[in-house]
Amino acid sequence: MAKELQQIVERAVAQVLDRQLPKLQAELVERVLAELPAASGADASRGSGGSSDSLVQSISTIHAGTTQKEILRALLDAGTSYAARVALFVVKAGSASGWQARGFSEDEAIKDFPLDMGSGPAAHAYQNRSVAPANIAEMDRRFVKQFGGPDNEQILILPLVLKDKVAALLYADGGSENRLDAASLEVLVMSTSAWLEVTSLRKQAAQKEMDSAPAMERPAPPVPAAPVHTVSAFNDPFAGHSPKHTAKAAPEPEPEPEPSAEVVEVASSASAASAAAAPAADPFAGLSA
């Protein structure tokens, strides 16, 4: 009974979440913008030549994504409005590996580039889960040697936090244009983190609904047929005088075999056991360009 009640609640939560999704998107935007310092609006206008409307539009583009790849690509695309060069490094087991970039002379070279996490702004952003502004001289030397630095030497490392853990780092600098809007980039990263959390919850709710559907819709076991009562033999007075025109009774058809309930229950139990034994999913497991 308790399990059935849990399944009903999970399905109801999934339905409510789908209905409230547009409202949730609007609330996320308002909440993130409310967290900005008072000067961020002026900084945004000065740094990117845009306005708060363009920032809201960038956030909406991120929220239009439905998969991790779509959301992260939207983050990089939107980031080019507020920085000349941006690159995303996925963090796993304390190591950061390049995923995609925008604005570099060779964007493809970022892929799989191992970023030094031992010191500098990358280590600060990862360990403290906070934005790390720095000078390019503090950055990974291999990175600087291969990709160079901005004219004004100012860079920014922003952590993308999922479930209280840093799942990725966003590198940004002003390039030759000195275009680097730290406040707007921070808003974009915060919005991306929040939206990745929402899409993860939606997928979990949908998966639970799928897993619970077979148990809810499982057909009831067949009702056994009523026993046939045999009639004891007796002396029929007309046994030897049955009329010739009487039609011969057709043989009763053999009953069709009933489906085995044990097969369904065993399969469901095996699926449940496999699901329970599966390890927790990595937020960016299998993420590739």
Side-chain angles (χ1 to χ4, degrees):
M1 182 65 181
K3 185 176 181 181
E4 292 182 357
L5 181 60
Q6 179 184 356
Q7 293 168 348
I8 293 173
V9 171
E10 288 173 350
R11 296 181 67 178
V13 169
Q15 293 171 359
V16 171
L17 186 59
D18 285 338
R19 289 197 300 266
Q20 296 297 321
L21 194 56
K23 182 180 178 181
L24 184 59
Q25 286 179 317
E27 289 181 355
L28 277 173
V29 174
E30 293 177 3
R31 183 69 177 272
V32 171
L33 291 177
E35 295 293 331
L36 285 175
S40 65
D43 292 341
S45 298
R46 181 174 65 254
S48 65
S51 64
S52 59
D53 290 341
S54 64
L55 185 58
V56 171
Q57 181 60 43
S58 296
I59 295 173
S60 298
T61 302
I62 293 172
H63 287 185
T66 57
T67 66
Q68 286 182 349
K69 289 183 180 180
E70 291 176 354
I71 295 169
L72 296 177
R73 285 170 182 161
L75 168 62
L76 289 172
D77 292 340
T80 58
S81 297
Y82 307 100
R85 304 195 305 175
V86 290
L88 189 71
F89 294 84
V90 175
V91 177
K92 292 183 180 180
S95 299
S97 179
W99 184 61
Q100 286 189 16
R102 303 287 188 274
F104 289 76
S105 57
E106 297 180 3
D107 288 344
E108 291 297 323
I110 286 289
K111 185 177 180 181
D112 298 329
F113 181 90
L115 187 65
D116 182 14
M117 297 281 285
S119 61
H124 177 85
Y126 176 69
Q127 294 169 4
N128 299 293
R129 293 187 296 176
S130 61
V131 180
N135 188 284
I136 189 63
E138 304 172 59
M139 190 61 181
D140 182 350
R141 292 184 179 180
R142 293 171 302 167
F143 178 89
V144 179
K145 182 178 180 180
Q146 182 166 348
F147 302 104
D151 288 353
N152 65 359
E153 299 186 351
Q154 300 303 305
I155 67 169
L156 201 64
I157 303 290
L158 305 99
L160 194 155
V161 181
L162 290 180
K163 299 179 180 178
D164 297 325
K165 293 183 179 180
V166 176
L169 295 173
L170 181 71
Y171 168 90
D173 68 37
S176 59
E177 310 165 29
N178 294 336
R179 176 165 49 87
L180 183 62
D181 181 355
S184 295
L185 288 170
E186 188 171 359
V187 172
L188 292 181
V189 172
M190 290 171 60
S191 299
T192 301
S193 298
W195 191 240
L196 284 169
E197 293 275 12
V198 170
T199 54
S200 176
L201 289 173
R202 291 183 66 198
K203 289 180 180 179
Q204 290 176 16
Q207 185 61 48
K208 287 181 179 179
E209 185 176 2
M210 289 179 61
D211 292 343
S212 63
M216 298 290 291
E217 299 171 4
R218 185 179 301 162
V223 179
V228 178
H229 298 284
T230 57
V231 181
S232 59
F234 65 96
N235 293 327
D236 186 356
F238 302 100
H241 301 81
S242 54
K244 295 181 179 181
H245 62 272
T246 302
K248 190 175 183 180
E252 294 184 1
E254 295 183 2
E256 296 182 359
E258 297 289 348
S260 174
E262 287 80 6
V263 174
V264 177
E265 293 175 359
V266 169
S268 300
S269 301
S271 300
S274 299
D282 188 327
F284 287 151
L287 186 65
S288 62

